Amino acid sequence: MMPRADVVIPHWNRRELLESLLGRLREQSVAPERILVVDDGSTDGSPEAAARLGACVLSTGRRAGFAAAVNLGLRQSRAPWVAVLNNDVEPAPDWLERLLAAAESQQVWFAVGKLLQRSDPSRVDGAFDALCRGGCSWRIGHGRPDGPVWSRPRAVRMAGFAAVLARRELFEKVDYLDERFQFALEDVEFGLRCALAGCGGWYVPEAVAYHAGSATLGRWSAAAVRWIARNQLFLVARHYPPDWRKRYGRAVLVAQGLWALVAARHGRLAAYLLGKREGWRLFEPVRSASPPRADPERLDEVLCRSEAEIRLWQSQTGWDRYWKLYFCLAGGGRAQPLGDDF
Protein backbone atom coordinates (compact mmCIF):
# COMPACT_ATOMS: atom_id res chain seq x y z
CA MET A 1 0.00 0.00 0.00
CA MET A 2 1.35 3.43 -0.99
CA PRO A 3 2.00 5.69 2.03
CA ARG A 4 -0.06 8.83 2.51
CA ALA A 5 1.22 12.30 1.68
CA ASP A 6 -0.04 15.83 2.15
CA VAL A 7 0.92 18.62 -0.25
CA VAL A 8 1.84 22.11 0.98
CA ILE A 9 1.74 25.01 -1.48
CA PRO A 10 3.07 28.37 -0.25
CA HIS A 11 1.38 31.06 -2.33
CA TRP A 12 1.24 34.81 -2.93
CA ASN A 13 -0.88 36.20 -5.78
CA ARG A 14 -0.56 34.74 -9.32
CA ARG A 15 -3.93 32.98 -8.98
CA GLU A 16 -3.64 31.49 -12.46
CA LEU A 17 -0.52 29.57 -11.44
CA LEU A 18 -2.23 28.21 -8.35
CA GLU A 19 -5.31 27.10 -10.29
CA SER A 20 -3.12 25.32 -12.84
CA LEU A 21 -1.15 23.52 -10.11
CA LEU A 22 -4.29 22.42 -8.28
CA GLY A 23 -5.57 21.00 -11.55
CA ARG A 24 -2.34 19.04 -11.99
CA LEU A 25 -2.60 17.65 -8.47
CA ARG A 26 -6.09 16.33 -9.21
CA GLU A 27 -4.50 14.27 -12.02
CA GLN A 28 -1.91 12.56 -9.79
CA SER A 29 -1.87 8.75 -10.01
CA VAL A 30 -1.62 8.73 -6.19
CA ALA A 31 -3.93 11.36 -4.79
CA PRO A 32 -2.60 13.59 -1.99
CA GLU A 33 -4.23 13.03 1.38
CA ARG A 34 -4.78 16.79 1.69
CA ILE A 35 -3.71 19.85 -0.28
CA LEU A 36 -2.85 22.76 2.00
CA VAL A 37 -2.57 26.13 0.26
CA VAL A 38 -0.87 28.60 2.57
CA ASP A 39 -1.76 32.08 1.42
CA ASP A 40 0.81 34.73 2.24
CA GLY A 41 -1.34 37.83 1.89
CA SER A 42 -2.67 37.51 -1.67
CA THR A 43 -4.89 40.30 -3.02
CA ASP A 44 -6.08 38.63 -6.25
CA GLY A 45 -8.73 36.23 -4.95
CA SER A 46 -6.32 33.29 -4.66
CA PRO A 47 -7.67 31.96 -1.32
CA GLU A 48 -11.24 31.86 -2.60
CA ALA A 49 -10.16 30.16 -5.83
CA ALA A 50 -8.19 27.52 -3.89
CA ALA A 51 -11.15 26.80 -1.62
CA ARG A 52 -13.47 26.38 -4.61
CA LEU A 53 -11.04 23.84 -6.05
CA GLY A 54 -11.09 21.76 -2.88
CA ALA A 55 -7.88 22.81 -1.15
CA CYS A 56 -7.59 23.45 2.56
CA VAL A 57 -6.68 27.14 2.76
CA LEU A 58 -4.47 28.52 5.53
CA SER A 59 -3.30 32.10 5.92
CA THR A 60 -0.19 33.66 7.40
CA GLY A 61 -2.22 36.81 7.98
CA ARG A 62 0.51 38.99 6.48
CA ARG A 63 3.33 38.95 3.95
CA ALA A 64 5.46 36.67 6.10
CA GLY A 65 7.62 35.01 3.44
CA PHE A 66 8.12 31.62 1.83
CA ALA A 67 9.73 30.01 4.88
CA ALA A 68 6.93 31.05 7.24
CA ALA A 69 4.26 29.91 4.79
CA VAL A 70 5.89 26.50 4.35
CA ASN A 71 6.27 26.08 8.10
CA LEU A 72 2.60 26.87 8.72
CA GLY A 73 1.60 24.21 6.18
CA LEU A 74 4.03 21.66 7.60
CA ARG A 75 2.71 22.15 11.12
CA GLN A 76 -0.85 21.58 9.92
CA SER A 77 -0.01 18.47 7.90
CA ARG A 78 -0.96 15.07 9.29
CA ALA A 79 0.24 12.49 6.76
CA PRO A 80 3.60 10.74 7.32
CA TRP A 81 4.96 12.31 4.14
CA VAL A 82 4.58 15.90 2.99
CA ALA A 83 5.38 17.39 -0.41
CA VAL A 84 6.19 21.08 -0.84
CA LEU A 85 5.48 22.61 -4.23
CA ASN A 86 6.02 26.12 -5.57
CA ASN A 87 2.95 27.56 -7.26
CA ASP A 88 4.84 27.76 -10.58
CA VAL A 89 5.53 24.01 -10.77
CA GLU A 90 3.61 21.56 -12.96
CA PRO A 91 4.20 17.96 -11.77
CA ALA A 92 3.77 15.05 -14.17
CA PRO A 93 0.81 12.78 -13.30
CA ASP A 94 3.05 10.16 -11.65
CA TRP A 95 5.32 12.66 -9.84
CA LEU A 96 4.07 12.01 -6.32
CA GLU A 97 3.75 8.25 -6.81
CA ARG A 98 7.34 7.90 -8.05
CA LEU A 99 8.76 9.99 -5.22
CA LEU A 100 6.84 8.05 -2.57
CA ALA A 101 7.85 4.69 -4.00
CA ALA A 102 11.53 5.62 -4.23
CA ALA A 103 11.67 7.26 -0.81
CA GLU A 104 10.08 4.25 0.85
CA SER A 105 12.24 1.70 -0.98
CA GLN A 106 15.47 3.59 -0.28
CA GLN A 107 14.47 4.38 3.32
CA VAL A 108 15.57 8.00 3.05
CA TRP A 109 14.40 11.18 4.73
CA PHE A 110 13.46 13.05 1.55
CA ALA A 111 13.23 12.63 -2.20
CA VAL A 112 13.49 15.05 -5.07
CA GLY A 113 12.76 14.59 -8.76
CA LYS A 114 14.02 16.10 -11.98
CA LEU A 115 12.86 19.67 -12.58
CA LEU A 116 12.76 20.74 -16.21
CA GLN A 117 12.34 24.29 -17.44
CA ARG A 118 8.74 24.93 -18.38
CA SER A 119 9.79 27.36 -21.11
CA ASP A 120 12.23 24.81 -22.59
CA PRO A 121 11.64 21.22 -21.37
CA SER A 122 14.81 20.06 -23.11
CA ARG A 123 16.78 21.79 -20.35
CA VAL A 124 17.13 20.98 -16.68
CA ASP A 125 15.92 23.58 -14.20
CA GLY A 126 17.54 21.72 -11.32
CA ALA A 127 18.11 18.31 -9.81
CA PHE A 128 19.40 18.80 -6.25
CA ASP A 129 21.50 21.33 -4.34
CA ALA A 130 25.14 21.75 -3.36
CA LEU A 131 26.89 24.43 -1.32
CA CYS A 132 30.43 25.76 -1.54
CA ARG A 133 32.64 26.84 1.35
CA GLY A 134 32.04 30.44 0.31
CA GLY A 135 28.37 30.31 1.27
CA CYS A 136 26.99 30.25 -2.29
CA SER A 137 24.97 27.38 -3.69
CA TRP A 138 24.30 25.78 -7.06
CA ARG A 139 21.15 23.98 -8.03
CA ILE A 140 22.90 21.11 -9.74
CA GLY A 141 22.10 20.91 -13.43
CA HIS A 142 20.50 24.32 -13.80
CA GLY A 143 20.38 25.31 -17.48
CA ARG A 144 22.05 22.12 -18.72
CA PRO A 145 20.55 20.08 -21.59
CA ASP A 146 18.60 17.11 -20.30
CA GLY A 147 20.20 13.76 -21.01
CA PRO A 148 21.52 10.49 -19.56
CA VAL A 149 23.72 12.21 -16.98
CA TRP A 150 20.57 13.56 -15.28
CA SER A 151 18.71 10.23 -15.48
CA ARG A 152 20.61 8.18 -12.91
CA PRO A 153 19.11 7.86 -9.41
CA ARG A 154 21.51 8.70 -6.62
CA ALA A 155 21.84 9.61 -2.97
CA VAL A 156 21.79 13.35 -2.26
CA ARG A 157 22.32 15.50 0.80
CA MET A 158 20.45 18.68 -0.11
CA ALA A 159 17.33 19.41 -2.14
CA GLY A 160 15.55 22.57 -3.24
CA PHE A 161 12.05 23.24 -2.00
CA ALA A 162 10.52 24.09 -5.38
CA ALA A 163 9.31 20.48 -5.52
CA VAL A 164 10.34 18.08 -2.76
CA LEU A 165 8.91 15.22 -0.70
CA ALA A 166 9.99 14.70 2.93
CA ARG A 167 9.07 12.68 5.97
CA ARG A 168 7.09 14.92 8.28
CA GLU A 169 9.23 13.80 11.21
CA LEU A 170 12.31 15.23 9.47
CA PHE A 171 11.19 18.69 10.53
CA GLU A 172 10.86 17.55 14.12
CA LYS A 173 14.37 16.10 13.94
CA VAL A 174 16.28 19.02 12.36
CA ASP A 175 13.68 21.79 12.94
CA TYR A 176 11.64 23.76 10.44
CA LEU A 177 12.77 26.33 7.88
CA ASP A 178 14.49 29.36 9.37
CA GLU A 179 11.89 32.11 8.94
CA ARG A 180 14.52 34.84 9.11
CA PHE A 181 15.57 33.81 5.60
CA GLN A 182 12.06 34.66 4.36
CA PHE A 183 12.37 34.36 0.56
CA ALA A 184 15.79 32.98 -0.42
CA LEU A 185 18.23 30.21 0.50
CA GLU A 186 15.93 28.93 3.26
CA ASP A 187 15.99 25.53 1.56
CA VAL A 188 19.78 25.58 1.22
CA GLU A 189 20.14 26.36 4.93
CA PHE A 190 17.71 23.57 5.76
CA GLY A 191 19.62 21.21 3.46
CA LEU A 192 22.85 22.01 5.26
CA ARG A 193 21.21 21.07 8.57
CA CYS A 194 20.03 17.79 7.04
CA ALA A 195 23.53 17.02 5.78
CA LEU A 196 25.08 17.83 9.16
CA ALA A 197 22.56 15.54 10.86
CA GLY A 198 23.18 12.71 8.39
CA CYS A 199 19.58 12.82 7.10
CA GLY A 200 20.07 11.93 3.45
CA GLY A 201 17.75 11.90 0.48
CA TRP A 202 17.33 10.33 -2.94
CA TYR A 203 17.24 11.83 -6.43
CA VAL A 204 14.43 10.27 -8.51
CA PRO A 205 14.87 11.37 -12.15
CA GLU A 206 11.68 9.58 -13.23
CA ALA A 207 9.67 11.96 -11.04
CA VAL A 208 9.47 14.87 -13.47
CA ALA A 209 8.03 18.33 -12.91
CA TYR A 210 8.18 21.53 -14.95
CA HIS A 211 9.22 24.79 -13.32
CA ALA A 212 8.66 28.34 -14.52
CA GLY A 213 11.18 29.62 -11.98
CA SER A 214 10.93 32.76 -9.83
CA ALA A 215 7.47 33.48 -11.21
CA THR A 216 6.45 35.47 -8.14
CA LEU A 217 9.46 37.69 -7.37
CA GLY A 218 11.30 37.43 -10.69
CA ARG A 219 14.68 35.71 -11.02
CA TRP A 220 16.76 38.88 -11.20
CA SER A 221 14.37 41.29 -9.54
CA ALA A 222 15.89 43.76 -7.10
CA ALA A 223 14.01 42.07 -4.26
CA ALA A 224 15.31 38.59 -5.13
CA VAL A 225 18.93 39.78 -5.41
CA ARG A 226 18.70 41.65 -2.11
CA TRP A 227 17.32 38.59 -0.26
CA ILE A 228 19.97 36.29 -1.70
CA ALA A 229 22.84 38.68 -0.94
CA ARG A 230 21.65 39.11 2.64
CA ASN A 231 20.96 35.44 3.27
CA GLN A 232 24.36 34.32 2.02
CA LEU A 233 25.70 36.08 5.11
CA PHE A 234 22.93 34.72 7.32
CA LEU A 235 23.99 31.21 6.33
CA VAL A 236 27.58 31.93 7.37
CA ALA A 237 26.38 33.54 10.61
CA ARG A 238 24.20 30.60 11.54
CA HIS A 239 26.57 27.72 10.79
CA TYR A 240 30.22 28.74 10.46
CA PRO A 241 32.53 28.38 13.51
CA PRO A 242 34.07 31.28 15.48
CA ASP A 243 37.29 31.06 13.44
CA TRP A 244 35.39 31.09 10.12
CA ARG A 245 37.45 33.97 8.74
CA LYS A 246 40.61 31.89 9.11
CA ARG A 247 39.01 28.71 7.78
CA TYR A 248 36.75 30.09 5.06
CA GLY A 249 37.39 33.84 4.77
CA ARG A 250 39.06 33.63 1.37
CA ALA A 251 36.36 31.35 -0.03
CA VAL A 252 33.57 33.59 1.32
CA LEU A 253 35.18 36.71 -0.12
CA VAL A 254 35.69 35.10 -3.52
CA ALA A 255 32.26 33.44 -3.76
CA GLN A 256 30.27 36.46 -2.70
CA GLY A 257 32.50 38.93 -4.52
CA LEU A 258 31.99 37.02 -7.76
CA TRP A 259 28.27 36.98 -7.07
CA ALA A 260 28.44 40.80 -6.90
CA LEU A 261 29.78 40.77 -10.46
CA VAL A 262 26.91 38.52 -11.56
CA ALA A 263 24.40 40.86 -9.91
CA ALA A 264 26.04 43.87 -11.55
CA ARG A 265 25.85 42.19 -14.97
CA HIS A 266 22.08 41.97 -14.45
CA GLY A 267 21.86 45.61 -13.36
CA ARG A 268 21.33 44.73 -9.69
CA LEU A 269 24.51 45.87 -7.96
CA ALA A 270 22.61 48.37 -5.79
CA ALA A 271 20.24 45.61 -4.59
CA TYR A 272 23.23 43.36 -3.88
CA LEU A 273 24.90 46.06 -1.78
CA LEU A 274 21.69 46.72 0.14
CA GLY A 275 21.41 43.02 0.93
CA LYS A 276 25.02 42.76 2.05
CA ARG A 277 24.68 45.85 4.25
CA GLU A 278 21.63 44.35 5.95
CA GLY A 279 23.36 40.98 6.26
CA TRP A 280 26.37 42.47 8.03
CA ARG A 281 24.15 44.61 10.26
CA LEU A 282 22.23 41.53 11.40
CA PHE A 283 25.16 39.10 11.32
CA GLU A 284 25.83 39.06 15.06
CA PRO A 285 22.14 39.04 16.09
CA VAL A 286 21.54 36.02 13.84
CA ARG A 287 24.63 34.33 15.21
CA SER A 288 23.68 35.06 18.83
CA ALA A 289 20.12 33.80 18.35
CA SER A 290 21.27 30.47 16.89
CA PRO A 291 24.97 29.85 17.56
CA PRO A 292 26.63 27.17 15.40
CA ARG A 293 25.86 23.70 16.74
CA ALA A 294 27.89 21.51 14.42
CA ASP A 295 31.39 20.36 15.26
CA PRO A 296 33.70 22.47 13.04
CA GLU A 297 35.31 19.36 11.60
CA ARG A 298 31.91 17.91 10.70
CA LEU A 299 30.93 21.17 9.01
CA ASP A 300 34.22 21.19 7.13
CA GLU A 301 33.60 17.64 5.94
CA VAL A 302 30.10 18.46 4.69
CA LEU A 303 31.13 21.70 2.96
CA CYS A 304 34.19 20.17 1.30
CA ARG A 305 32.23 17.19 0.02
CA SER A 306 29.46 19.43 -1.26
CA GLU A 307 31.97 21.72 -2.97
CA ALA A 308 33.63 18.68 -4.49
CA GLU A 309 30.30 17.72 -5.97
CA ILE A 310 29.94 21.15 -7.58
CA ARG A 311 33.38 20.72 -9.11
CA LEU A 312 32.53 17.21 -10.32
CA TRP A 313 29.26 18.19 -12.01
CA GLN A 314 30.77 21.33 -13.52
CA SER A 315 33.66 19.35 -14.98
CA GLN A 316 31.30 16.70 -16.38
CA THR A 317 28.65 19.02 -17.86
CA GLY A 318 30.57 22.19 -18.74
CA TRP A 319 31.95 25.01 -16.65
CA ASP A 320 29.97 28.11 -15.77
CA ARG A 321 32.26 31.12 -15.67
CA TYR A 322 31.30 31.83 -12.05
CA TRP A 323 32.39 28.41 -10.80
CA LYS A 324 35.50 28.30 -12.95
CA LEU A 325 36.67 31.59 -11.40
CA TYR A 326 35.65 30.48 -7.91
CA PHE A 327 37.74 27.32 -8.03
CA CYS A 328 40.68 29.21 -9.50
CA LEU A 329 40.62 31.92 -6.82
CA ALA A 330 39.23 30.37 -3.65
CA GLY A 331 41.95 27.83 -2.99
CA GLY A 332 41.35 24.19 -2.18
CA GLY A 333 39.35 22.86 0.71
CA ARG A 334 40.26 19.61 2.39
CA ALA A 335 39.98 16.89 -0.25
CA GLN A 336 37.00 14.59 0.13
CA PRO A 337 36.22 11.46 -1.89
CA LEU A 338 32.68 11.50 -3.19
CA GLY A 339 31.79 7.83 -3.29
CA ASP A 340 28.41 6.37 -4.17
CA ASP A 341 26.76 7.50 -0.94
CA PHE A 342 27.35 11.20 -1.43
Side-chain angles (χ1 to χ4, degrees):
M1 175 183 262
M2 192 67 68
R4 296 176 297 114
D6 289 333
V7 173
V8 171
I9 305 170
H11 177 75
W12 180 64
N13 289 330
R14 299 300 302 269
R15 184 178 68 184
E16 75 283 2
L17 293 176
L18 179 61
E19 291 173 335
S20 175
L21 173 54
L22 291 174
R24 295 282 181 173
L25 290 174
R26 287 198 300 269
E27 299 169 355
Q28 289 294 300
S29 54
V30 169
E33 184 81 1
R34 288 196 306 163
I35 300 173
L36 300 110
V37 172
V38 186
D39 188 73
D40 196 31
S42 296
T43 58
D44 65 348
S46 289
E48 295 80 7
R52 284 195 302 271
L53 291 170
C56 173
V57 180
L58 307 172
S59 175
T60 61
R62 58 191 173 90
R63 186 76 168 112
F66 179 89
V70 169
N71 285 348
L72 178 57
L74 292 172
R75 289 188 170 102
Q76 293 297 316
S77 65
R78 298 192 294 258
W81 290 91
V82 58
V84 178
L85 280 167
N86 279 9
N87 61 5
D88 60 350
V89 170
E90 291 186 350
D94 59 354
W95 177 81
L96 184 57
E97 180 179 8
R98 287 185 177 276
L99 287 182
L100 283 168
E104 283 284 336
S105 67
Q106 296 296 327
Q107 290 296 292
V108 291
W109 286 95
F110 62 89
V112 63
K114 184 195 297 183
L115 272 181
L116 299 174
Q117 295 181 5
R118 190 189 297 184
S119 60
D120 182 2
S122 69
R123 291 192 172 271
V124 175
D125 184 79
F128 42 93
D129 284 358
L131 177 67
C132 78
R133 292 172 297 125
C136 292
S137 63
W138 183 41
R139 186 137 298 164
I140 301 291
H142 180 73
R144 300 299 196 266
D146 191 17
V149 70
W150 308 113
S151 299
R152 183 172 71 88
R154 59 177 286 121
V156 296
R157 289 191 173 189
M158 304 179 189
F161 266 52
V164 66
L165 176 76
R167 294 182 188 272
R168 189 161 52 87
E169 63 184 293
L170 175 62
F171 302 94
E172 299 167 4
K173 183 176 177 64
V174 304
D175 207 354
Y176 292 80
L177 298 184
D178 189 331
E179 296 184 10
R180 293 170 298 186
F181 283 65
Q182 293 181 288
F183 296 102
L185 303 185
E186 68 291 313
D187 50 356
V188 174
E189 191 278 325
F190 179 81
L192 179 55
R193 276 186 275 139
C194 289
L196 290 169
C199 296
W202 196 255
Y203 171 57
V204 189
E206 300 86 1
V208 175
Y210 303 87
H211 189 208
S214 303
T216 299
L217 289 179
R219 178 167 174 76
W220 287 103
S221 69
V225 170
R226 179 186 169 193
W227 291 118
I228 294 170
R230 187 197 72 165
N231 291 349
Q232 288 166 345
L233 292 176
F234 278 16
L235 194 151
V236 173
R238 172 151 188 188
H239 290 284
Y240 284 29
D243 65 343
W244 70 267
R245 288 177 176 85
K246 179 180 178 181
R247 286 176 178 257
Y248 305 117
R250 178 178 175 183
V252 170
L253 181 63
V254 169
Q256 300 188 25
L258 288 173
W259 207 81
L261 298 178
V262 177
R265 184 163 59 87
H266 288 88
R268 298 302 185 193
L269 182 59
Y272 169 90
L273 293 173
L274 281 173
K276 282 290 181 273
R277 184 173 68 178
E278 185 176 2
W280 281 119
R281 179 173 61 83
L282 295 174
F283 191 92
E284 287 305 324
V286 168
R287 193 170 185 81
S288 298
S290 53
R293 299 179 185 176
D295 174 77
E297 295 307 313
R298 171 63 175 161
L299 176 68
D300 196 51
E301 176 194 3
V302 167
L303 289 176
C304 288
R305 286 169 67 88
S306 189
E307 183 170 288
E309 187 165 32
I310 295 175
R311 187 195 293 267
L312 174 68
W313 285 101
Q314 286 280 317
S315 65
Q316 287 185 352
T317 66
W319 286 92
D320 295 323
R321 184 179 300 176
Y322 174 93
W323 290 112
K324 184 178 239 183
L325 288 171
Y326 171 79
F327 284 110
C328 285
L329 299 173
R334 188 156 49 84
Q336 292 287 345
L338 287 177
D340 292 334
D341 62 342
F342 187 92

mmCIF file with all atom_site columns, all heavy atoms in Angstrom, residues 142 163 234 239:
data_model
loop_
_atom_site.group_PDB
_atom_site.id
_atom_site.type_symbol
_atom_site.label_atom_id
_atom_site.label_alt_id
_atom_site.label_comp_id
_atom_site.label_asym_id
_atom_site.label_entity_id
_atom_site.label_seq_id
_atom_site.pdbx_PDB_ins_code
_atom_site.Cartn_x
_atom_site.Cartn_y
_atom_site.Cartn_z
_atom_site.occupancy
_atom_site.B_iso_or_equiv
_atom_site.pdbx_formal_charge
_atom_site.auth_seq_id
_atom_site.auth_comp_id
_atom_site.auth_asym_id
_atom_site.auth_atom_id
_atom_site.pdbx_PDB_model_num
ATOM 1  N N   . HIS A 1 142 ? 21.289 23.204 -13.303 1.00 0.00 ? 142 HIS A N   1
ATOM 2  C CA  . HIS A 1 142 ? 20.495 24.323 -13.803 1.00 0.00 ? 142 HIS A CA  1
ATOM 3  C C   . HIS A 1 142 ? 20.994 24.806 -15.170 1.00 0.00 ? 142 HIS A C   1
ATOM 4  O O   . HIS A 1 142 ? 22.165 25.129 -15.346 1.00 0.00 ? 142 HIS A O   1
ATOM 5  C CB  . HIS A 1 142 ? 20.521 25.496 -12.831 1.00 0.00 ? 142 HIS A CB  1
ATOM 6  C CG  . HIS A 1 142 ? 19.728 26.673 -13.308 1.00 0.00 ? 142 HIS A CG  1
ATOM 7  N ND1 . HIS A 1 142 ? 18.346 26.678 -13.316 1.00 0.00 ? 142 HIS A ND1 1
ATOM 8  C CD2 . HIS A 1 142 ? 20.113 27.857 -13.832 1.00 0.00 ? 142 HIS A CD2 1
ATOM 9  C CE1 . HIS A 1 142 ? 17.928 27.819 -13.805 1.00 0.00 ? 142 HIS A CE1 1
ATOM 10 N NE2 . HIS A 1 142 ? 18.971 28.557 -14.132 1.00 0.00 ? 142 HIS A NE2 1
ATOM 11 N N   . ALA A 1 163 ? 10.107 21.698 -5.387  1.00 0.00 ? 163 ALA A N   1
ATOM 12 C CA  . ALA A 1 163 ? 9.308  20.477 -5.518  1.00 0.00 ? 163 ALA A CA  1
ATOM 13 C C   . ALA A 1 163 ? 10.050 19.358 -4.798  1.00 0.00 ? 163 ALA A C   1
ATOM 14 O O   . ALA A 1 163 ? 10.999 18.794 -5.332  1.00 0.00 ? 163 ALA A O   1
ATOM 15 C CB  . ALA A 1 163 ? 9.100  20.122 -6.996  1.00 0.00 ? 163 ALA A CB  1
ATOM 16 N N   . PHE A 1 234 ? 23.662 35.396 6.257   1.00 0.00 ? 234 PHE A N   1
ATOM 17 C CA  . PHE A 1 234 ? 22.928 34.721 7.322   1.00 0.00 ? 234 PHE A CA  1
ATOM 18 C C   . PHE A 1 234 ? 23.359 33.263 7.446   1.00 0.00 ? 234 PHE A C   1
ATOM 19 O O   . PHE A 1 234 ? 23.467 32.725 8.551   1.00 0.00 ? 234 PHE A O   1
ATOM 20 C CB  . PHE A 1 234 ? 21.421 34.777 7.045   1.00 0.00 ? 234 PHE A CB  1
ATOM 21 C CG  . PHE A 1 234 ? 20.759 36.067 7.464   1.00 0.00 ? 234 PHE A CG  1
ATOM 22 C CD1 . PHE A 1 234 ? 21.497 37.207 7.741   1.00 0.00 ? 234 PHE A CD1 1
ATOM 23 C CD2 . PHE A 1 234 ? 19.388 36.146 7.576   1.00 0.00 ? 234 PHE A CD2 1
ATOM 24 C CE1 . PHE A 1 234 ? 20.882 38.398 8.118   1.00 0.00 ? 234 PHE A CE1 1
ATOM 25 C CE2 . PHE A 1 234 ? 18.754 37.315 7.963   1.00 0.00 ? 234 PHE A CE2 1
ATOM 26 C CZ  . PHE A 1 234 ? 19.510 38.444 8.234   1.00 0.00 ? 234 PHE A CZ  1
ATOM 27 N N   . HIS A 1 239 ? 25.930 29.037 10.768  1.00 0.00 ? 239 HIS A N   1
ATOM 28 C CA  . HIS A 1 239 ? 26.571 27.725 10.786  1.00 0.00 ? 239 HIS A CA  1
ATOM 29 C C   . HIS A 1 239 ? 28.091 27.728 10.908  1.00 0.00 ? 239 HIS A C   1
ATOM 30 O O   . HIS A 1 239 ? 28.662 26.717 11.338  1.00 0.00 ? 239 HIS A O   1
ATOM 31 C CB  . HIS A 1 239 ? 26.178 26.933 9.534   1.00 0.00 ? 239 HIS A CB  1
ATOM 32 C CG  . HIS A 1 239 ? 24.761 26.497 9.533   1.00 0.00 ? 239 HIS A CG  1
ATOM 33 N ND1 . HIS A 1 239 ? 24.309 25.452 10.299  1.00 0.00 ? 239 HIS A ND1 1
ATOM 34 C CD2 . HIS A 1 239 ? 23.679 26.987 8.876   1.00 0.00 ? 239 HIS A CD2 1
ATOM 35 C CE1 . HIS A 1 239 ? 23.004 25.299 10.112  1.00 0.00 ? 239 HIS A CE1 1
ATOM 36 N NE2 . HIS A 1 239 ? 22.605 26.218 9.258   1.00 0.00 ? 239 HIS A NE2 1
#
